[in-house]
mmCIF file of all heavy atoms in Angstrom:
data_model
loop_
_atom_site.group_PDB
_atom_site.id
_atom_site.type_symbol
_atom_site.label_atom_id
_atom_site.label_comp_id
_atom_site.label_asym_id
_atom_site.label_seq_id
_atom_site.Cartn_x
_atom_site.Cartn_y
_atom_site.Cartn_z
ATOM 1 N N SER K 30 -13.088 16.254 17.678
ATOM 2 C CA SER K 30 -13.763 15.331 16.763
ATOM 3 C C SER K 30 -14.748 16.018 15.826
ATOM 4 O O SER K 30 -15.253 15.396 14.893
ATOM 5 C CB SER K 30 -14.498 14.254 17.567
ATOM 6 O OG SER K 30 -15.447 14.851 18.429
ATOM 7 N N TYR K 32 -14.193 18.834 13.888
ATOM 8 C CA TYR K 32 -13.656 19.741 12.890
ATOM 9 C C TYR K 32 -12.643 19.099 11.965
ATOM 10 O O TYR K 32 -11.922 18.177 12.335
ATOM 11 C CB TYR K 32 -13.018 20.951 13.583
ATOM 12 C CG TYR K 32 -14.011 21.745 14.388
ATOM 13 C CD1 TYR K 32 -14.150 21.532 15.756
ATOM 14 C CD2 TYR K 32 -14.831 22.694 13.779
ATOM 15 C CE1 TYR K 32 -15.080 22.236 16.492
ATOM 16 C CE2 TYR K 32 -15.761 23.407 14.512
ATOM 17 C CZ TYR K 32 -15.877 23.170 15.865
ATOM 18 O OH TYR K 32 -16.803 23.878 16.590
ATOM 19 N N VAL K 33 -12.592 19.659 10.770
ATOM 20 C CA VAL K 33 -11.583 19.262 9.795
ATOM 21 C C VAL K 33 -10.228 19.825 10.213
ATOM 22 O O VAL K 33 -10.121 20.992 10.597
ATOM 23 C CB VAL K 33 -11.942 19.776 8.384
ATOM 24 C CG1 VAL K 33 -10.822 19.488 7.398
ATOM 25 C CG2 VAL K 33 -13.261 19.169 7.917
ATOM 26 N N MET K 34 -9.236 18.987 10.161
ATOM 27 C CA MET K 34 -7.866 19.414 10.457
ATOM 28 C C MET K 34 -7.056 19.328 9.169
ATOM 29 O O MET K 34 -7.260 18.423 8.355
ATOM 30 C CB MET K 34 -7.230 18.507 11.509
ATOM 31 C CG MET K 34 -7.956 18.449 12.835
ATOM 32 S SD MET K 34 -7.788 19.982 13.768
ATOM 33 C CE MET K 34 -6.027 20.023 14.065
ATOM 34 N N GLY K 50 -6.049 17.391 4.151
ATOM 35 C CA GLY K 50 -7.015 17.646 5.203
ATOM 36 C C GLY K 50 -7.721 16.361 5.552
ATOM 37 O O GLY K 50 -7.797 15.437 4.736
ATOM 38 N N ILE K 51 -8.241 16.297 6.784
ATOM 39 C CA ILE K 51 -8.934 15.080 7.216
ATOM 40 C C ILE K 51 -10.124 15.470 8.083
ATOM 41 O O ILE K 51 -10.028 16.333 8.954
ATOM 42 C CB ILE K 51 -7.964 14.137 7.963
ATOM 43 C CG1 ILE K 51 -8.633 12.790 8.264
ATOM 44 C CG2 ILE K 51 -7.411 14.779 9.232
ATOM 45 C CD1 ILE K 51 -7.643 11.706 8.678
ATOM 46 N N THR K 52 -11.253 14.828 7.829
ATOM 47 C CA THR K 52 -12.462 15.124 8.586
ATOM 48 C C THR K 52 -12.515 14.284 9.852
ATOM 49 O O THR K 52 -11.669 13.422 10.091
ATOM 50 C CB THR K 52 -13.704 14.813 7.742
ATOM 51 O OG1 THR K 52 -13.813 13.383 7.587
ATOM 52 C CG2 THR K 52 -13.625 15.456 6.368
ATOM 53 N N SER K 53 -13.537 14.544 10.634
ATOM 54 C CA SER K 53 -13.701 13.812 11.891
ATOM 55 C C SER K 53 -13.960 12.328 11.652
ATOM 56 O O SER K 53 -13.668 11.492 12.503
ATOM 57 C CB SER K 53 -14.852 14.411 12.697
ATOM 58 O OG SER K 53 -16.052 14.349 11.943
ATOM 59 N N THR K 54 -14.489 12.008 10.491
ATOM 60 C CA THR K 54 -14.769 10.607 10.183
ATOM 61 C C THR K 54 -13.645 9.965 9.377
ATOM 62 O O THR K 54 -13.786 8.842 8.914
ATOM 63 C CB THR K 54 -16.082 10.490 9.409
ATOM 64 O OG1 THR K 54 -16.011 11.315 8.235
ATOM 65 C CG2 THR K 54 -17.255 10.943 10.260
ATOM 66 N N GLY K 55 -12.558 10.693 9.230
ATOM 67 C CA GLY K 55 -11.400 10.118 8.563
ATOM 68 C C GLY K 55 -11.362 10.286 7.056
ATOM 69 O O GLY K 55 -10.480 9.734 6.393
ATOM 70 N N ILE K 56 -12.284 11.047 6.516
ATOM 71 C CA ILE K 56 -12.255 11.308 5.075
ATOM 72 C C ILE K 56 -11.126 12.280 4.779
ATOM 73 O O ILE K 56 -10.999 13.321 5.420
ATOM 74 C CB ILE K 56 -13.589 11.871 4.597
ATOM 75 C CG1 ILE K 56 -14.694 10.835 4.834
ATOM 76 C CG2 ILE K 56 -13.520 12.246 3.120
ATOM 77 C CD1 ILE K 56 -16.082 11.356 4.567
ATOM 78 N N VAL K 57 -10.330 11.937 3.790
ATOM 79 C CA VAL K 57 -9.136 12.717 3.465
ATOM 80 C C VAL K 57 -9.367 13.486 2.166
ATOM 81 O O VAL K 57 -9.903 12.945 1.198
ATOM 82 C CB VAL K 57 -7.920 11.800 3.322
ATOM 83 C CG1 VAL K 57 -6.675 12.571 2.915
ATOM 84 C CG2 VAL K 57 -7.665 11.067 4.629
ATOM 85 N N THR K 58 -8.952 14.741 2.164
ATOM 86 C CA THR K 58 -9.003 15.512 0.935
ATOM 87 C C THR K 58 -7.961 14.975 -0.036
ATOM 88 O O THR K 58 -7.016 14.305 0.364
ATOM 89 C CB THR K 58 -8.715 16.993 1.189
ATOM 90 O OG1 THR K 58 -7.400 17.108 1.751
ATOM 91 C CG2 THR K 58 -9.719 17.589 2.150
ATOM 92 N N ARG K 72 -5.420 10.607 11.724
ATOM 93 C CA ARG K 72 -6.005 11.317 12.853
ATOM 94 C C ARG K 72 -6.143 10.371 14.035
ATOM 95 O O ARG K 72 -6.587 9.239 13.883
ATOM 96 C CB ARG K 72 -7.376 11.847 12.430
ATOM 97 C CG ARG K 72 -8.087 12.714 13.423
ATOM 98 C CD ARG K 72 -9.322 13.318 12.773
ATOM 99 N NE ARG K 72 -9.901 14.348 13.626
ATOM 100 C CZ ARG K 72 -10.373 15.504 13.178
ATOM 101 N NH1 ARG K 72 -10.362 15.772 11.889
ATOM 102 N NH2 ARG K 72 -10.880 16.372 14.016
ATOM 103 N N LEU K 74 -8.135 10.375 17.319
ATOM 104 C CA LEU K 74 -9.173 11.091 18.055
ATOM 105 C C LEU K 74 -8.939 11.055 19.560
ATOM 106 O O LEU K 74 -9.215 12.032 20.263
ATOM 107 C CB LEU K 74 -10.542 10.505 17.722
ATOM 108 C CG LEU K 74 -11.059 10.756 16.297
ATOM 109 C CD1 LEU K 74 -12.366 10.024 16.074
ATOM 110 C CD2 LEU K 74 -11.238 12.250 16.047
#
Side-chain angles (χ1 to χ4, degrees):
S30 59
Y32 298 96
V33 174
M34 301 289 296
I51 187 166
T52 70
S53 59
T54 56
I56 297 172
V57 177
T58 60
R72 185 172 190 139
L74 291 175

